[in-house]
């Protein structure tokens, strides 16, 4: 978690150096998103839209389309200790983390784990590619709210609104690029593969 904090701090410093107004705008927007679980339904939906817009790095999906995209998602609430899915199980959905704390754990790799960031879409690769779950996902907070898109909803979106389905595909590509870059950096820095 301290590495995540250090990375965010470094990114903020670079943004502030490049254009201080961008950082102020980011902080103002982020402060509007509440991370508690006592949000109204409208506040949750605004948070979900905010997170989806942050994921939309290409800015090729309008706000109206984001609202339509969100209509394919269902609200879910989890409590501490709940298992959302087990590593190796069939992938049948992806989840957008609205509030609370989830832990992704690699069961078969010495129990490595990481906190899932708010606003992150998890399970997206399994949803799109049909791959089995690569980790187990647990609720770590007293309560956690996610918006979940099922395989059936995704397939319906693919038929009725291919542009929105493509948006989910592009999220997968972006996340895979991040993962590959992380592994490449790790190999370059240490001259060995990450464990």
């Amino acid at each position: 978690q301290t590495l995540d904090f250090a990375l965010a701090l470094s990114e903020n410093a670079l943004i502030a150096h490049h254009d201080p107004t961008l950082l102020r705008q980011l902080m103002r927007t982020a402060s509007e998103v509440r991370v508690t679980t006592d949000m109204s339904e409208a506040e949750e939906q605004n948070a979900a839209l905010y997170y989806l817009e942050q994921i939309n790095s290409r800015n090729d999906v309008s706000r109206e389309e984001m609202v339509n995209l969100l209509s394919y998602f269902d609200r879910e609430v989890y409590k501490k200790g709940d298992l959302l899915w087990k590593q190796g199980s069939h992938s049948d959905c992806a989840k957008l983390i609205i509030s609370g704390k989830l832990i992704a754990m690699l069961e078969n790799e010495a129990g490595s784990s990481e906190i899932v960031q708010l606003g992150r879409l998890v399970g997206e690769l399994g949803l799109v590619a049909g791959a089995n779950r690569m980790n187990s996902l647990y609720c770590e907070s007293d309560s956690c709210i996610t918006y979940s898109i099922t395989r059936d909803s995704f397939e319906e979106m693919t038929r009725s609104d291919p542009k929105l389905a493509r948006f989910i595909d592009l999220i997968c590509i972006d996340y895979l690029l991040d993962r590959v870059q992380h592994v490449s950096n790790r190999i370059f820095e240490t001259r060995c593969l990450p464990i």
Side-chain angles (χ1 to χ4, degrees), residues 1 8 15-16 19 31-32 38 48 52 68 72 75 81 85 95 98 121 132 157 182 184 194:
Q1 195 172 21
I15 291 169
D19 184 353
S31 69
E32 294 170 5
D38 63 348
L52 288 171
N68 188 26
Y72 288 94
R75 180 183 188 270
W85 60 63
K95 298 179 185 304
I98 304 301
L121 186 68
N132 286 343
M157 182 194 310
H182 172 73
S184 296

Side-chain angles (χ1 to χ4, degrees), residues 151-174:
R151 179 169 307 287
D152 290 341
S153 291
F154 180 70
E155 289 173 1
E156 171 59 31
M157 182 194 310
T158 302
R159 287 187 294 277
S160 64
D161 200 335
K163 181 179 180 182
L164 292 182
R166 176 72 174 147
F167 176 72
I168 301 291
D169 292 342
L170 291 172
I171 291 171
C172 290
I173 292 168
D174 288 345

